[in-house]
Amino acid sequence: MRNLPVNLFASVMGLSGLALAWRLAHGSLGAPVFVGEAIGAFALGVFVLISLGYLTKLARHPEAVHAEFHHPVAGNFFGTIAISILLLSAVVGPYSAPAARAIWTVGVLSTFALSFVVVSRLLKGQVDASHAVPAWLIPGVATLDIPVTGAHMSMAWASELNLVASAVGAVLALVLFAMIVSRLVHRDPLAPAMTPSLMILVAPFAVGFLAYSNIVGDIDRFAALLFYFALFMFAVVAPKVFRPGMKFSANWWAIGFPM
């Protein structure tokens, strides 16, 4: 239990994203609706099980959770919890609007709190540049997921909050993206176990595309620019991730949601 990794919540992100994509495929391609809904239910169950496990870890080994949260790399994966909550609000939306609003609000509060912590840590200074890895993007992507999942929330304050989240997420993601690319260019390659996380480099632009198009209500040329750059980044990193000899690890869950 001490070794249960927080990045396992990325599995919920991948499953929830797949459920939402399948739901769209049902409307546009006629895909069987029950498959997507079953995946969504499974994602919700996985979230409950991992949450129970991690809460047990917090109760039994609080020092391990404290160390993980303050780790310069692993600490960013706490953003996977916030993103999972936001995505699950969209999964349950068709079944219960009040439940979706409550879950989304919890996700919003968690996401902003994490973004505040991350930026505060960076501004303390003396951050080792070798720690600038793709996982750093998770808090910024989490903020962008607020308008992705909250575009149709009925609360009067939701639209303005979506704008705030988009502003924070867009700038934060771009700044961190530049820092990460600089590290990848000028430092040693990522450790083999972290190579799958390169797929996270796609996420800010793919999620940014969804967030922007949800806010403006249309797919204009700027949205297309975001999408096509996400597609370009996928083409660049895919051969580095999907190659023979790559060993399986929990980090492989990091590729599901960006894709």
Side-chain angles (χ1 to χ4, degrees):
M1 191 59 67
R2 177 190 291 272
N3 297 319
L4 181 68
V6 70
N7 64 0
L8 204 56
F9 279 97
S11 62
V12 182
M13 292 169 51
L15 292 168
S16 299
L18 180 59
L20 296 172
W22 200 286
R23 187 177 288 169
L24 292 174
H26 167 69
S28 60
L29 303 175
V33 64
F34 72 91
V35 177
E37 301 312 304
I39 296 172
F42 184 62
L44 185 60
V46 170
F47 177 79
V48 171
L49 289 175
I50 298 177
S51 297
L52 290 174
Y54 207 79
L55 287 172
T56 303
K57 176 179 177 177
L58 178 62
R60 294 183 179 180
H61 309 286
E63 74 288 348
V65 176
H66 181 272
E68 195 169 25
F69 183 75
H70 288 87
H71 191 276
V73 175
N76 294 280
F77 281 100
F78 280 82
T80 60
I81 301 176
I83 297 175
S84 296
I85 295 172
L86 290 170
L87 293 175
L88 287 174
S89 73
V91 171
V92 306
Y95 300 96
S96 174
R101 289 194 294 267
I103 296 172
W104 185 75
T105 302
V106 171
V108 167
L109 295 174
S110 303
T111 300
F112 276 121
L114 179 68
S115 298
F116 181 85
V117 170
V118 167
V119 174
S120 297
R121 284 180 183 176
L122 291 176
L123 294 182
K124 287 182 179 179
Q126 300 299 316
V127 177
D128 188 346
S130 64
H131 292 153
V133 295
W136 274 24
L137 287 168
I138 294 175
V141 171
T143 313
L144 288 173
D145 270 304
I146 292 175
V148 168
T149 55
H152 305 293
M153 289 293 167
S154 59
M155 300 85 82
W157 44 267
S159 60
E160 197 68 23
L161 192 62
N162 286 330
L163 287 175
V164 174
S166 298
V168 174
V171 177
L172 189 58
L174 287 176
V175 170
L176 295 177
F177 183 84
M179 295 172 66
I180 293 164
V181 170
S182 177
R183 177 255 184 267
L184 293 174
V185 170
H186 298 292
R187 301 270 181 154
D188 294 334
L190 294 177
M194 295 188 66
T195 299
S197 68
L198 284 171
M199 195 61 69
I200 300 176
L201 295 175
V202 177
F205 306 97
V207 179
F209 159 76
L210 292 172
Y212 176 81
S213 58
N214 275 356
I215 287 176
V216 301
D218 190 21
I219 299 177
D220 57 18
R221 292 194 175 187
F222 181 73
L225 291 175
L226 293 173
F227 173 78
Y228 285 128
F229 188 76
L231 195 61
F232 171 77
M233 286 304 303
F234 176 80
V236 170
V237 301
K240 300 179 182 299
V241 173
F242 304 113
R243 67 174 191 265
M246 292 295 294
K247 294 182 179 180
F248 177 79
S249 69
N251 287 329
W252 276 91
W253 277 114
I255 73 171
F257 181 63
M259 290 180 65

